[in-house]
Amino acid sequence: MELTPVYNVKNLSFSYPKRDVLHGVDLKLYPGEVVSLLGPNGCGKSTLIRLMLRLLEGKGDIRLHGAPLYTYRHREIAAHVAYIPQYHNVPFGYSVEEMVVMGRVSRMGFFAHPSAKDYAIAHEALCRVGIAELAKRPFGQLSGGQKQMVLLGRAIAQEVKVFIMDEPVNGLDYGNQMRLLGMIDHLAKEGYTFLKTTHYPDHALMISTRVVVMHEGRIIASGDPHEVIDSSMLRDVYGVEAEVIRHKKRSCCIPSVHTGVSLCG
């Protein structure tokens, strides 16, 4: 029996006033997958996920659980999908606990106040991501890695099974990158579904069940990470000469570094 996709994107296109961004994109996201969107800056990765969240409107067909996305209000989308952005600036001095409780908004009625149950779910979410001791700390005083864990906890508190993440490791040190990737891998094994953008082929190789490669607004490859990520793809998409080395059960990219090369072209 074939799985029903959580998301089904068909022939999706999008343009800003002076620039075409996406051209006829097709994408399916199935339950339990960890899908990494790879591609250079400006290829359309972030635009695609914003369209999938109805933060932008494009041309084409996007279906969430089989229903056209335009039939969902934003509150209804939040009852199915959690979005974890690349950056998150908070103008007020919310505590970690308050930030996670905000994930309950889609489950509460209009103008409702969080209940004891909402706080209990928030506390459990913080425990699951290993930062319960930070509950009373101001969110704005946390490190980048701690903030990402809080946002992941907030997504868990939403009680949804689908997470969309825009470059989740951006700005994190190496240790926090590995901890966050490990948490994604752990949650995926529990049945959560992830779609995440990334600039790191190595990270895609570590935890992805599928890789989708974007270039100039189109999807040019989709499949098993160990089959899609190779020297030819890295050269064509990033203009980098690199070998993909397999060691035991893991693969990694070994680029050739040339000094004195201009980044401006």
Side-chain angles (χ1 to χ4, degrees):
M1 183 176 177
E2 185 177 353
L3 284 175
T4 302
V6 176
Y7 268 102
N8 193 352
V9 177
K10 292 184 179 179
N11 197 30
L12 183 64
S13 298
F14 180 81
S15 299
Y16 290 109
K18 295 184 179 180
R19 182 167 63 96
D20 294 336
V21 181
L22 297 179
H23 313 273
V25 168
D26 295 335
L27 175 67
K28 292 181 180 180
L29 181 64
Y30 290 96
E33 286 194 296
V34 178
V35 175
S36 291
L37 279 174
L38 279 175
N41 290 331
C43 72
K45 301 187 302 296
S46 293
T47 298
L48 173 58
I49 65 174
R50 290 186 184 117
L51 288 162
M52 293 173 68
L53 293 162
R54 276 202 75 196
L55 300 177
L56 296 171
E57 298 287 344
K59 295 180 180 179
D61 185 43
I62 306 177
R63 294 181 178 262
L64 174 60
H65 294 301
L69 191 65
Y70 69 80
T71 64
Y72 288 83
R73 293 174 296 175
H74 288 101
R75 182 186 181 91
E76 292 169 334
I77 294 173
H80 296 280
V81 183
Y83 174 47
I84 302 177
Q86 181 179 163
Y87 301 108
H88 199 94
N89 295 317
V90 178
F92 303 106
Y94 292 115
S95 70
V96 167
E97 181 182 56
E98 289 169 330
M99 286 292 296
V100 175
V101 168
M102 288 179 193
R104 302 293 303 158
V105 169
S106 64
R107 303 292 176 183
M108 296 186 291
F110 286 110
F111 308 114
H113 293 286
S115 65
K117 178 183 176 181
D118 294 317
Y119 279 100
I121 290 171
H123 177 73
E124 181 182 353
L126 286 171
C127 290
R128 292 193 67 187
V129 297
I131 56 169
E133 73 281 1
L134 301 179
K136 301 303 180 183
R137 288 270 302 276
F139 179 79
Q141 295 180 11
L142 302 183
S143 70
Q146 290 170 328
K147 286 179 178 178
Q148 283 300 102
M149 286 298 187
V150 172
L151 296 180
L152 187 57
R154 185 175 70 177
I156 292 171
Q158 267 181 252
E159 294 188 310
V160 299
K161 283 292 189 177
V162 181
F163 294 172
I164 293 182
M165 310 178 79
D166 193 6
E167 297 183 30
V169 303
N170 187 57
L172 302 188
D173 65 41
Y174 186 71
N176 280 318
Q177 289 180 18
M178 294 303 107
R179 280 185 278 276
L180 182 58
L181 291 173
M183 182 58 63
I184 292 171
D185 186 55
H186 175 74
L187 291 171
K189 287 179 170 60
E190 293 185 4
Y192 289 87
T193 303
F194 289 86
L195 175 66
K196 64 182 184 67
T197 68
T198 181
H199 284 303
Y200 299 98
D202 284 321
H203 293 177
L205 286 165
M206 282 181 191
I207 65 169
S208 303
T209 56
R210 183 159 54 98
V211 165
V212 174
V213 183
M214 296 188 67
H215 189 50
E216 296 181 349
R218 292 179 170 84
I219 291 177
I220 62 169
S222 176
D224 185 295
H226 302 286
E227 295 177 2
V228 171
I229 299 174
D230 59 17
S231 297
S232 176
M233 186 279 284
L234 295 171
R235 183 186 310 112
D236 293 343
V237 173
Y238 294 103
V240 171
E241 295 295 334
E243 290 185 74
V244 180
I245 305 298
R246 188 162 182 85
H247 177 67
K248 296 182 179 178
K249 294 184 178 181
R250 294 191 177 274
S251 297
C252 63
C253 303
I254 310 295
S256 299
V257 179
H258 299 284
T259 60
V261 177
S262 171
L263 295 179
C264 299

